[in-house]
Amino acid sequence: MTTPRSLLDLPPLHAAATIDEWVRQAGLPRYRAEQLKPRLWKTPVGSWQEATELPQALRDRLDTELPLHRFETEVVQTSSDGTRKYLWKLPDGEKIESVLIPTATRRTLCISSQAGCALGCTFCATGLMGFRRNLHPWEIAGQVREVVLRNPDDMPTNIVFMGMGEPLLNWPAVDIALTILNSPEGFGIGARHITISTVGIVPGMLALAARPEQFRLAISLHSPHAEDRVGIMPIEKKYHLKDVIEAAGAFKKRITFEYVMIAGRNDRQKDLDGLIGLALRLGAHVNLLPLHPGGDPTLRPTSPADIRAFAAALREVGVEAVVRRSRGLDIDAACGQLHVKMARKERRVREEA
Ligand code: SAH
Ligand code: SF4
């Protein structure tokens, strides 16, 4: 019988059908299939050995024939503000990150969609790393699985695709991962609690908009003027701002603009005016992000007072704007930073050796 590379790479209903067929071919009673299915995502086990409700011989057989793939935990760091950062090592040695951000009412997990990123936004630590590879569906949804396996109480209520990589350049895998995260047979996280952040990959935006669920879209805008934006985000050369804005119109739900505030580059009056124009046109919500270190060291963050004034000016004209708190700064919890720091440390150790 042909088995998939991993049951965890399949949308849960396909995985369920594969399990039904496997149980049938193994000549086992049907109820066994119902015991196996929730062990993928809903009440996950690290390996079938942990599914102690099953006979030992069956567990051994499952571990050989339908293994549950995992990754290793390279580093876990908890910030003084409760933010927790995970650096995972994938089976081929690639490293990716997730960040769990607890607040009073929710637990948001920020997940990666690629190892590295090809797009080279100047301010971004992942951009500096370059592209390593796309993640498989099980490696994307598996970040939630690993967090839950470590502690079921950490089950996220919200997911944001704001870790490493550009999710819409890995659409086939992200498409399946969204199903796993959202479907009742998977993690059952409501679509409105799952946000995909993109620089504006137009074909991917259209594919996402075509899904029936109301996943949320965040567009990394960073400048309302194409001629300035291209100096911050090279992708502007391929997908122009005006086309990105047009594609954003295909979303029925309210979208968000992500806007990293960089002194003298996107925080001037003309930037404010341009941003107001775009936000009002789309009814978009604006997230202002303080610039974290880790990207191009010549970029300077906008001062906190200027960020507050920028936000106030947006609100004054009716644009909903929030200044995102910098969480976990003491543990390098911004996109790509822990990985880059570890790689530097490893280099140093090698050089010193
Ligand atoms: N590639 C996608 C999703 C991952 S990046 C995208 O760019 O939208 C997720 C978010 O992290 C983006 O909004 C990006 O602007 C933000 N980010 C990256 N580097 C940052 C930094 N140095 N300071 C603050 N935010 C940063
Ligand atoms: Fe890639 Fe997003 Fe970083 Fe830009 S901000 S380099 S798209 S991960």
Side-chain angles (χ1 to χ4, degrees), residues 164-237:
M164 296 164 78
E166 167 50 55
L168 297 185
L169 285 180
N170 185 15
W171 176 249
V174 167
D175 192 20
I176 295 173
L178 286 173
T179 303
I180 296 170
L181 294 171
N182 173 243
S183 73
E185 299 79 14
F187 285 115
I189 301 169
R192 278 168 296 160
H193 294 155
I194 301 176
T195 302
I196 294 90
S197 178
T198 180
V199 291
I201 305 298
V202 172
M205 290 170 70
L206 299 177
L208 178 61
R211 286 198 53 147
E213 308 92 338
Q214 308 228 309
F215 296 113
R216 290 196 184 257
L217 179 71
I219 296 177
S220 289
L221 189 72
H222 308 321
S223 170
H225 304 297
E227 66 279 13
D228 296 328
R229 194 172 187 256
V230 73
I232 305 175
M233 314 168 66
I235 192 68
E236 171 65 30
K237 285 185 219 134

Side-chain angles (χ1 to χ4, degrees), residues 94-96 113-118 126-127 129-133 164-166:
E94 288 298 339
K95 291 175 192 157
I96 56 162
S113 55
Q114 299 180 313
C117 181
T126 308
M129 267 175 73
F131 179 68
R132 306 285 306 176
R133 70 166 170 83
M164 296 164 78
E166 167 50 55

Side-chain angles (χ1 to χ4, degrees), residues 117 119-121 123-124 126-127 165-166 199 335:
C117 181
L119 300 185
C121 301
F123 52 83
C124 173
T126 308
E166 167 50 55
V199 291
C335 179

Side-chain angles (χ1 to χ4, degrees), residues 140-153:
I140 301 173
Q143 294 165 61
V144 181
R145 198 169 184 277
E146 291 294 334
V147 166
V148 173
L149 284 172
R150 290 177 66 90
N151 180 0
D153 293 340

